[in-house]
Amino acid sequence: MSEPYPHWTEQQPPGAEKPRREAGGDVEGPSALVKIVVAQGTFIAALMFYIGAIYTSTYYDYFNLHWGSMGLGFSQVALESLNLLNLDVMVAAGCVFLLVCVPWSRRPRPVTWIEAAAARWYPLVVVTGIVLLALWHEIQPYGWVGPLTIAVGLLLSQCRNAQGHRPQGFRRQAVPVFAAGVFLFWTVTNVAWQQGRQDAEARAADVTSWTGVLVLSTKPLSLPTDSVREEKLANDRLHPYRYSDLRLLAEHDGRYFVVPRDWDAQVDEIYVIRESEATWIALTPGTRPRLVD
C-alpha cells in the first residue's frame, strides 16, 4: 500500500515574486498610477467647478445677474474658485489635511499623548461644532466654523487610542468619515457663498475704480444722460455719438455690462451693450476717487 503523496509548496527565490494583477492591469504599475492621477485630477476639477459655480452665482446675484446668462465656460468657472485662496481658508485646509493624513498613516510609530487624547475627547469637539451651528447667526461671517469643527471632530475619532487601536467596522469607521466629508462639503459651500458676497459688496462700493468704458455709436443710445456724458461729434464721422463716464461690470462674447459712475447696485439698472459695426467700444483706466485733505 503506497503512502499518500505529500502536499508541498514550491518556494520561489527572493525577488521572483510576480506582481499582483487585476483585471485592469498592474496594481502598482504605471497604468495604475495614471488611473489614480486621472481620477484625482477629475475630482479636483469637478470640485473646483462646483466651488467656482457657487462663488460666481453668488457674486453676480448681488448685481441681479444670473451667472448662466454670462456664457462662462467650464474652465472660467473653475478658475473662479481660486478667489477663495485667502489666509483663513488656507489655514483651515492645512489643519484638515493634517487631520486626514495622521489618522490613516500606516507607518509604525508609538501613540503620542496628543493622538490618544484626540481619540478620547473627540466627542467634545463634535459637541462644540454643534453649539457653533446653533449660534450660526451670531458668529457670522464665520458661520462656516461650525460644520468645519464637526468635521474635524469626526476625523479625530479615527485616531488611535492609548492602546494603539483604531476604530473598526462600518458604524465606527465608514460612517464618521462619510459624515466628515459631508460637513467639509458644507463648509466649502458656505465659504464660497460668503466670499462671493463679500467680493461683490467690496466691488460695488468703489464703482469709480472699475475699468472705464467709452462708447462710439452711429445712432443715439438709450443711456441716462444725467449720469452718462453724451457728446455729438461732427456728422462726417462714422460714429458721431460718444458716451463716457461708464464703468465695466463684466464682459463676455462681445457683450459689455456697463453702469454709470454713480451707480447703486441695489436700485439702478445695468446696461448691456453689444459690440458691432454700429457700436465701437474702448476700455480706459478707472478713476480713483480724490482724497479730501
Side-chain angles (χ1 to χ4, degrees), residues 223-256:
L223 295 175
T225 56
D226 55 339
S227 56
V228 178
R229 185 169 59 179
E230 180 185 34
E231 299 177 75
K232 181 64 170 65
L233 306 179
N235 292 328
D236 57 348
R237 290 179 175 267
L238 181 61
H239 301 86
Y241 294 94
R242 174 175 175 173
Y243 298 89
S244 56
D245 289 344
L246 291 168
R247 291 296 180 265
L248 180 64
L249 173 61
E251 182 275 330
H252 183 73
D253 196 21
R255 293 182 301 164
Y256 293 79

mmCIF file of all heavy atoms in Angstrom, residues 223-256:
data_model
loop_
_atom_site.group_PDB
_atom_site.id
_atom_site.type_symbol
_atom_site.label_atom_id
_atom_site.label_comp_id
_atom_site.label_asym_id
_atom_site.label_seq_id
_atom_site.Cartn_x
_atom_site.Cartn_y
_atom_site.Cartn_z
ATOM 1 N N LEU A 223 -29.143 105.703 -22.975
ATOM 2 C CA LEU A 223 -28.381 105.737 -21.735
ATOM 3 C C LEU A 223 -28.803 106.959 -20.927
ATOM 4 O O LEU A 223 -29.192 107.988 -21.505
ATOM 5 C CB LEU A 223 -26.878 105.786 -22.021
ATOM 6 C CG LEU A 223 -26.297 104.546 -22.704
ATOM 7 C CD1 LEU A 223 -24.824 104.772 -23.046
ATOM 8 C CD2 LEU A 223 -26.441 103.316 -21.828
ATOM 9 N N PRO A 224 -28.758 106.900 -19.602
ATOM 10 C CA PRO A 224 -29.185 108.042 -18.773
ATOM 11 C C PRO A 224 -28.227 109.222 -18.930
ATOM 12 O O PRO A 224 -27.083 109.181 -18.464
ATOM 13 C CB PRO A 224 -29.156 107.475 -17.355
ATOM 14 C CG PRO A 224 -28.174 106.347 -17.413
ATOM 15 C CD PRO A 224 -28.289 105.757 -18.782
ATOM 16 N N THR A 225 -28.684 110.274 -19.577
ATOM 17 C CA THR A 225 -27.815 111.420 -19.842
ATOM 18 C C THR A 225 -27.521 112.234 -18.590
ATOM 19 O O THR A 225 -26.617 113.079 -18.605
ATOM 20 C CB THR A 225 -28.470 112.321 -20.902
ATOM 21 O OG1 THR A 225 -29.790 112.699 -20.447
ATOM 22 C CG2 THR A 225 -28.596 111.586 -22.229
ATOM 23 N N ASP A 226 -28.271 112.009 -17.504
ATOM 24 C CA ASP A 226 -27.993 112.748 -16.284
ATOM 25 C C ASP A 226 -26.745 112.226 -15.577
ATOM 26 O O ASP A 226 -26.129 112.951 -14.779
ATOM 27 C CB ASP A 226 -29.186 112.694 -15.332
ATOM 28 C CG ASP A 226 -29.610 111.262 -15.041
ATOM 29 O OD1 ASP A 226 -29.269 110.368 -15.847
ATOM 30 O OD2 ASP A 226 -30.268 111.043 -14.010
ATOM 31 N N SER A 227 -26.348 110.985 -15.846
ATOM 32 C CA SER A 227 -25.149 110.420 -15.230
ATOM 33 C C SER A 227 -24.125 109.946 -16.250
ATOM 34 O O SER A 227 -22.994 109.654 -15.884
ATOM 35 C CB SER A 227 -25.532 109.240 -14.315
ATOM 36 O OG SER A 227 -26.260 108.264 -15.031
ATOM 37 N N VAL A 228 -24.509 109.854 -17.504
ATOM 38 C CA VAL A 228 -23.595 109.465 -18.583
ATOM 39 C C VAL A 228 -23.433 110.646 -19.521
ATOM 40 O O VAL A 228 -24.429 111.234 -19.979
ATOM 41 C CB VAL A 228 -24.125 108.236 -19.349
ATOM 42 C CG1 VAL A 228 -23.186 107.879 -20.494
ATOM 43 C CG2 VAL A 228 -24.291 107.055 -18.410
ATOM 44 N N ARG A 229 -22.200 110.989 -19.815
ATOM 45 C CA ARG A 229 -21.939 112.146 -20.673
ATOM 46 C C ARG A 229 -22.107 111.748 -22.142
ATOM 47 O O ARG A 229 -21.438 110.842 -22.635
ATOM 48 C CB ARG A 229 -20.535 112.695 -20.429
ATOM 49 C CG ARG A 229 -20.248 113.968 -21.216
ATOM 50 C CD ARG A 229 -18.981 114.621 -20.751
ATOM 51 N NE ARG A 229 -17.833 113.729 -20.897
ATOM 52 C CZ ARG A 229 -16.586 114.054 -20.575
ATOM 53 N NH1 ARG A 229 -16.344 115.257 -20.049
ATOM 54 N NH2 ARG A 229 -15.606 113.193 -20.742
ATOM 55 N N GLU A 230 -23.002 112.463 -22.826
ATOM 56 C CA GLU A 230 -23.257 112.212 -24.241
ATOM 57 C C GLU A 230 -22.727 113.388 -25.052
ATOM 58 O O GLU A 230 -23.013 114.552 -24.751
ATOM 59 C CB GLU A 230 -24.756 112.026 -24.495
ATOM 60 C CG GLU A 230 -25.092 111.768 -25.953
ATOM 61 C CD GLU A 230 -26.591 111.701 -26.184
ATOM 62 O OE1 GLU A 230 -27.326 112.440 -25.490
ATOM 63 O OE2 GLU A 230 -27.033 110.927 -27.040
ATOM 64 N N GLU A 231 -21.969 113.100 -26.103
ATOM 65 C CA GLU A 231 -21.392 114.131 -26.960
ATOM 66 C C GLU A 231 -21.788 113.844 -28.403
ATOM 67 O O GLU A 231 -21.723 112.713 -28.863
ATOM 68 C CB GLU A 231 -19.867 114.157 -26.839
ATOM 69 C CG GLU A 231 -19.366 114.479 -25.434
ATOM 70 C CD GLU A 231 -17.855 114.429 -25.357
ATOM 71 O OE1 GLU A 231 -17.213 115.372 -25.854
ATOM 72 O OE2 GLU A 231 -17.333 113.432 -24.819
ATOM 73 N N LYS A 232 -22.164 114.906 -29.105
ATOM 74 C CA LYS A 232 -22.485 114.807 -30.531
ATOM 75 C C LYS A 232 -21.307 115.345 -31.316
ATOM 76 O O LYS A 232 -21.006 116.523 -31.290
ATOM 77 C CB LYS A 232 -23.750 115.608 -30.838
ATOM 78 C CG LYS A 232 -24.186 115.544 -32.289
ATOM 79 C CD LYS A 232 -24.575 114.122 -32.673
ATOM 80 C CE LYS A 232 -25.244 114.116 -34.063
ATOM 81 N NZ LYS A 232 -24.311 114.532 -35.137
ATOM 82 N N LEU A 233 -20.622 114.441 -32.012
ATOM 83 C CA LEU A 233 -19.459 114.820 -32.797
ATOM 84 C C LEU A 233 -19.888 115.264 -34.187
ATOM 85 O O LEU A 233 -21.077 115.342 -34.500
ATOM 86 C CB LEU A 233 -18.492 113.628 -32.872
ATOM 87 C CG LEU A 233 -18.071 113.036 -31.523
ATOM 88 C CD1 LEU A 233 -17.134 111.850 -31.727
ATOM 89 C CD2 LEU A 233 -17.424 114.087 -30.627
ATOM 90 N N ALA A 234 -18.906 115.541 -35.021
ATOM 91 C CA ALA A 234 -19.204 116.005 -36.379
ATOM 92 C C ALA A 234 -19.958 114.919 -37.149
ATOM 93 O O ALA A 234 -19.726 113.723 -36.972
ATOM 94 C CB ALA A 234 -17.905 116.364 -37.109
ATOM 95 N N ASN A 235 -20.864 115.360 -38.015
ATOM 96 C CA ASN A 235 -21.692 114.413 -38.760
ATOM 97 C C ASN A 235 -20.912 113.594 -39.762
ATOM 98 O O ASN A 235 -21.400 112.555 -40.231
ATOM 99 C CB ASN A 235 -22.824 115.161 -39.472
ATOM 100 C CG ASN A 235 -23.831 115.732 -38.486
ATOM 101 O OD1 ASN A 235 -24.067 115.145 -37.425
ATOM 102 N ND2 ASN A 235 -24.427 116.872 -38.842
ATOM 103 N N ASP A 236 -19.720 114.067 -40.137
ATOM 104 C CA ASP A 236 -18.935 113.314 -41.114
ATOM 105 C C ASP A 236 -18.218 112.113 -40.487
ATOM 106 O O ASP A 236 -17.584 111.337 -41.202
ATOM 107 C CB ASP A 236 -17.912 114.232 -41.794
ATOM 108 C CG ASP A 236 -16.984 114.897 -40.781
ATOM 109 O OD1 ASP A 236 -17.279 114.827 -39.566
ATOM 110 O OD2 ASP A 236 -15.961 115.460 -41.222
ATOM 111 N N ARG A 237 -18.305 111.973 -39.209
ATOM 112 C CA ARG A 237 -17.693 110.817 -38.541
ATOM 113 C C ARG A 237 -18.574 109.584 -38.705
ATOM 114 O O ARG A 237 -19.798 109.668 -38.763
ATOM 115 C CB ARG A 237 -17.477 111.105 -37.054
ATOM 116 C CG ARG A 237 -16.386 112.135 -36.784
ATOM 117 C CD ARG A 237 -16.253 112.382 -35.304
ATOM 118 N NE ARG A 237 -15.140 113.273 -35.002
ATOM 119 C CZ ARG A 237 -13.911 112.868 -34.705
ATOM 120 N NH1 ARG A 237 -13.636 111.569 -34.666
ATOM 121 N NH2 ARG A 237 -12.953 113.735 -34.454
ATOM 122 N N LEU A 238 -17.921 108.426 -38.710
ATOM 123 C CA LEU A 238 -18.664 107.172 -38.836
ATOM 124 C C LEU A 238 -19.491 106.896 -37.586
ATOM 125 O O LEU A 238 -20.593 106.350 -37.665
ATOM 126 C CB LEU A 238 -17.688 106.016 -39.097
ATOM 127 C CG LEU A 238 -18.315 104.629 -39.276
ATOM 128 C CD1 LEU A 238 -19.258 104.626 -40.483
ATOM 129 C CD2 LEU A 238 -17.236 103.566 -39.432
ATOM 130 N N HIS A 239 -18.961 107.289 -36.417
ATOM 131 C CA HIS A 239 -19.666 107.109 -35.139
ATOM 132 C C HIS A 239 -19.782 108.488 -34.476
ATOM 133 O O HIS A 239 -18.922 108.877 -33.678
ATOM 134 C CB HIS A 239 -18.916 106.149 -34.221
ATOM 135 C CG HIS A 239 -18.724 104.776 -34.810
ATOM 136 N ND1 HIS A 239 -17.667 104.479 -35.637
ATOM 137 C CD2 HIS A 239 -19.461 103.643 -34.686
ATOM 138 C CE1 HIS A 239 -17.749 103.195 -35.995
ATOM 139 N NE2 HIS A 239 -18.829 102.679 -35.441
ATOM 140 N N PRO A 240 -20.804 109.246 -34.794
ATOM 141 C CA PRO A 240 -20.891 110.630 -34.295
ATOM 142 C C PRO A 240 -21.338 110.757 -32.842
ATOM 143 O O PRO A 240 -21.221 111.846 -32.270
ATOM 144 C CB PRO A 240 -21.924 111.260 -35.232
ATOM 145 C CG PRO A 240 -22.783 110.122 -35.661
ATOM 146 C CD PRO A 240 -21.889 108.926 -35.719
ATOM 147 N N TYR A 241 -21.838 109.688 -32.230
ATOM 148 C CA TYR A 241 -22.321 109.774 -30.846
ATOM 149 C C TYR A 241 -21.300 109.118 -29.916
ATOM 150 O O TYR A 241 -20.915 107.959 -30.106
ATOM 151 C CB TYR A 241 -23.680 109.090 -30.706
ATOM 152 C CG TYR A 241 -24.771 109.796 -31.468
ATOM 153 C CD1 TYR A 241 -25.096 109.397 -32.771
ATOM 154 C CD2 TYR A 241 -25.469 110.862 -30.902
ATOM 155 C CE1 TYR A 241 -26.089 110.046 -33.479
ATOM 156 C CE2 TYR A 241 -26.466 111.509 -31.607
ATOM 157 C CZ TYR A 241 -26.765 111.102 -32.899
ATOM 158 O OH TYR A 241 -27.747 111.749 -33.614
ATOM 159 N N ARG A 242 -20.911 109.904 -28.906
ATOM 160 C CA ARG A 242 -19.883 109.438 -27.969
ATOM 161 C C ARG A 242 -20.445 109.480 -26.552
ATOM 162 O O ARG A 242 -21.001 110.484 -26.121
ATOM 163 C CB ARG A 242 -18.647 110.327 -28.079
ATOM 164 C CG ARG A 242 -17.577 110.025 -27.050
ATOM 165 C CD ARG A 242 -16.351 110.873 -27.301
ATOM 166 N NE ARG A 242 -15.355 110.691 -26.254
ATOM 167 C CZ ARG A 242 -14.131 111.213 -26.300
ATOM 168 N NH1 ARG A 242 -13.752 111.938 -27.346
ATOM 169 N NH2 ARG A 242 -13.293 111.012 -25.315
ATOM 170 N N TYR A 243 -20.229 108.350 -25.822
ATOM 171 C CA TYR A 243 -20.718 108.232 -24.450
ATOM 172 C C TYR A 243 -19.544 107.854 -23.537
ATOM 173 O O TYR A 243 -18.801 106.905 -23.827
ATOM 174 C CB TYR A 243 -21.809 107.167 -24.350
ATOM 175 C CG TYR A 243 -23.034 107.477 -25.175
ATOM 176 C CD1 TYR A 243 -23.124 107.065 -26.506
ATOM 177 C CD2 TYR A 243 -24.090 108.208 -24.641
ATOM 178 C CE1 TYR A 243 -24.237 107.364 -27.267
ATOM 179 C CE2 TYR A 243 -25.216 108.512 -25.396
ATOM 180 C CZ TYR A 243 -25.280 108.085 -26.721
ATOM 181 O OH TYR A 243 -26.385 108.393 -27.470
ATOM 182 N N SER A 244 -19.415 108.584 -22.462
ATOM 183 C CA SER A 244 -18.334 108.340 -21.497
ATOM 184 C C SER A 244 -18.910 108.326 -20.085
ATOM 185 O O SER A 244 -20.131 108.370 -19.905
ATOM 186 C CB SER A 244 -17.233 109.402 -21.640
ATOM 187 O OG SER A 244 -17.776 110.702 -21.488
ATOM 188 N N ASP A 245 -18.047 108.292 -19.094
ATOM 189 C CA ASP A 245 -18.438 108.178 -17.680
ATOM 190 C C ASP A 245 -19.160 106.853 -17.407
ATOM 191 O O ASP A 245 -20.054 106.791 -16.559
ATOM 192 C CB ASP A 245 -19.315 109.352 -17.243
ATOM 193 C CG ASP A 245 -18.513 110.638 -17.140
ATOM 194 O OD1 ASP A 245 -17.267 110.558 -17.103
ATOM 195 O OD2 ASP A 245 -19.122 111.723 -17.121
ATOM 196 N N LEU A 246 -18.789 105.807 -18.117
ATOM 197 C CA LEU A 246 -19.331 104.477 -17.891
ATOM 198 C C LEU A 246 -18.264 103.592 -17.278
ATOM 199 O O LEU A 246 -17.058 103.815 -17.461
ATOM 200 C CB LEU A 246 -19.816 103.856 -19.213
ATOM 201 C CG LEU A 246 -21.061 104.489 -19.846
ATOM 202 C CD1 LEU A 246 -21.245 103.981 -21.266
ATOM 203 C CD2 LEU A 246 -22.299 104.176 -19.007
ATOM 204 N N ARG A 247 -18.706 102.579 -16.539
ATOM 205 C CA ARG A 247 -17.775 101.638 -15.912
ATOM 206 C C ARG A 247 -18.187 100.210 -16.292
ATOM 207 O O ARG A 247 -19.368 99.918 -16.459
ATOM 208 C CB ARG A 247 -17.792 101.805 -14.378
ATOM 209 C CG ARG A 247 -17.195 103.119 -13.928
ATOM 210 C CD ARG A 247 -15.719 103.188 -14.279
ATOM 211 N NE ARG A 247 -15.092 104.421 -13.865
ATOM 212 C CZ ARG A 247 -14.917 105.487 -14.641
ATOM 213 N NH1 ARG A 247 -15.383 105.453 -15.899
ATOM 214 N NH2 ARG A 247 -14.309 106.552 -14.203
ATOM 215 N N LEU A 248 -17.196 99.349 -16.412
ATOM 216 C CA LEU A 248 -17.407 97.979 -16.870
ATOM 217 C C LEU A 248 -17.603 97.045 -15.687
ATOM 218 O O LEU A 248 -16.725 96.899 -14.828
ATOM 219 C CB LEU A 248 -16.201 97.514 -17.694
ATOM 220 C CG LEU A 248 -16.272 96.088 -18.242
ATOM 221 C CD1 LEU A 248 -17.411 95.950 -19.242
ATOM 222 C CD2 LEU A 248 -14.950 95.693 -18.867
ATOM 223 N N LEU A 249 -18.761 96.383 -15.649
ATOM 224 C CA LEU A 249 -19.027 95.362 -14.641
ATOM 225 C C LEU A 249 -18.524 94.004 -15.087
ATOM 226 O O LEU A 249 -17.852 93.290 -14.327
ATOM 227 C CB LEU A 249 -20.527 95.296 -14.339
ATOM 228 C CG LEU A 249 -20.985 94.162 -13.423
ATOM 229 C CD1 LEU A 249 -20.323 94.277 -12.054
ATOM 230 C CD2 LEU A 249 -22.503 94.146 -13.300
ATOM 231 N N ALA A 250 -18.820 93.631 -16.316
ATOM 232 C CA ALA A 250 -18.381 92.336 -16.849
ATOM 233 C C ALA A 250 -18.438 92.405 -18.362
ATOM 234 O O ALA A 250 -19.130 93.260 -18.954
ATOM 235 C CB ALA A 250 -19.257 91.194 -16.326
ATOM 236 N N GLU A 251 -17.709 91.482 -19.000
ATOM 237 C CA GLU A 251 -17.711 91.401 -20.465
ATOM 238 C C GLU A 251 -17.545 89.961 -20.874
ATOM 239 O O GLU A 251 -16.728 89.219 -20.309
ATOM 240 C CB GLU A 251 -16.576 92.238 -21.042
ATOM 241 C CG GLU A 251 -16.519 92.248 -22.561
ATOM 242 C CD GLU A 251 -15.769 91.065 -23.153
ATOM 243 O OE1 GLU A 251 -14.843 90.579 -22.468
ATOM 244 O OE2 GLU A 251 -16.115 90.624 -24.268
ATOM 245 N N HIS A 252 -18.346 89.544 -21.860
ATOM 246 C CA HIS A 252 -18.205 88.190 -22.388
ATOM 247 C C HIS A 252 -18.851 88.119 -23.764
ATOM 248 O O HIS A 252 -19.976 88.592 -23.957
ATOM 249 C CB HIS A 252 -18.859 87.161 -21.460
ATOM 250 C CG HIS A 252 -18.670 85.754 -21.930
ATOM 251 N ND1 HIS A 252 -17.468 85.102 -21.843
ATOM 252 C CD2 HIS A 252 -19.535 84.882 -22.524
ATOM 253 C CE1 HIS A 252 -17.590 83.891 -22.329
ATOM 254 N NE2 HIS A 252 -18.828 83.735 -22.760
ATOM 255 N N ASP A 253 -18.115 87.548 -24.684
ATOM 256 C CA ASP A 253 -18.614 87.276 -26.030
ATOM 257 C C ASP A 253 -19.165 88.541 -26.693
ATOM 258 O O ASP A 253 -20.220 88.521 -27.332
ATOM 259 C CB ASP A 253 -19.696 86.191 -25.972
ATOM 260 C CG ASP A 253 -19.988 85.590 -27.336
ATOM 261 O OD1 ASP A 253 -19.115 85.698 -28.219
ATOM 262 O OD2 ASP A 253 -21.080 85.035 -27.521
ATOM 263 N N GLY A 254 -18.434 89.639 -26.555
ATOM 264 C CA GLY A 254 -18.826 90.877 -27.218
ATOM 265 C C GLY A 254 -19.929 91.650 -26.530
ATOM 266 O O GLY A 254 -20.390 92.670 -27.059
ATOM 267 N N ARG A 255 -20.374 91.183 -25.372
ATOM 268 C CA ARG A 255 -21.392 91.905 -24.607
ATOM 269 C C ARG A 255 -20.734 92.585 -23.417
ATOM 270 O O ARG A 255 -20.028 91.946 -22.644
ATOM 271 C CB ARG A 255 -22.498 90.961 -24.132
ATOM 272 C CG ARG A 255 -23.359 90.381 -25.247
ATOM 273 C CD ARG A 255 -24.448 89.505 -24.657
ATOM 274 N NE ARG A 255 -23.871 88.415 -23.859
ATOM 275 C CZ ARG A 255 -24.557 87.695 -22.985
ATOM 276 N NH1 ARG A 255 -25.834 87.976 -22.759
ATOM 277 N NH2 ARG A 255 -23.978 86.725 -22.313
ATOM 278 N N TYR A 256 -20.989 93.874 -23.269
ATOM 279 C CA TYR A 256 -20.400 94.672 -22.197
ATOM 280 C C TYR A 256 -21.510 95.101 -21.238
ATOM 281 O O TYR A 256 -22.471 95.775 -21.639
ATOM 282 C CB TYR A 256 -19.690 95.899 -22.772
ATOM 283 C CG TYR A 256 -18.471 95.546 -23.598
ATOM 284 C CD1 TYR A 256 -18.606 95.104 -24.912
ATOM 285 C CD2 TYR A 256 -17.189 95.641 -23.065
ATOM 286 C CE1 TYR A 256 -17.486 94.771 -25.660
ATOM 287 C CE2 TYR A 256 -16.068 95.317 -23.813
ATOM 288 C CZ TYR A 256 -16.234 94.870 -25.110
ATOM 289 O OH TYR A 256 -15.126 94.538 -25.866
#
